[in-house]
Amino acid sequence: MSVKCKACGAQVPADAKTCPGCGAAVSAKTKLLPLAAFMLIVILIIQSYMGKSEEAQSEAKSASPVSSAQQ
């Protein structure tokens, strides 16, 4: 599979680092899908831990012992 050179428009082999026509550097395509999936997983894990700490705090407040002054 070949790609087009951004500088001159010539067809460049997919494994080439430079364009055979003009010598311009050919940028490699970045694979964003694995990076996006990883970031989504990290965000969900962080969000789940934050939710658990808020639930634990609210349960601790509601389960506080009644003092003798309040009786």
Side-chain angles (χ1 to χ4, degrees):
M1 183 173 137
S2 61
V3 294
K4 255 188 182 178
C5 175
K6 292 183 180 180
C8 68
Q11 292 293 327
V12 180
D15 59 342
K17 304 248 187 237
T18 60
C19 173
C22 66
V26 177
S27 62
K29 287 187 175 183
T30 57
K31 296 180 181 178
L32 294 178
L33 185 61
L35 178 62
F38 175 74
M39 292 302 293
L40 178 64
I41 291 170
V42 169
I43 290 170
L44 291 174
I45 290 171
I46 291 171
Q47 187 178 17
S48 70
Y49 280 119
M50 290 178 69
K52 286 181 183 178
S53 65
E54 289 174 1
E55 289 175 8
Q57 288 176 355
S58 66
E59 288 176 7
K61 288 180 183 177
S62 64
S64 62
V66 177
S67 67
S68 60
Q70 292 176 346
Q71 292 179 354

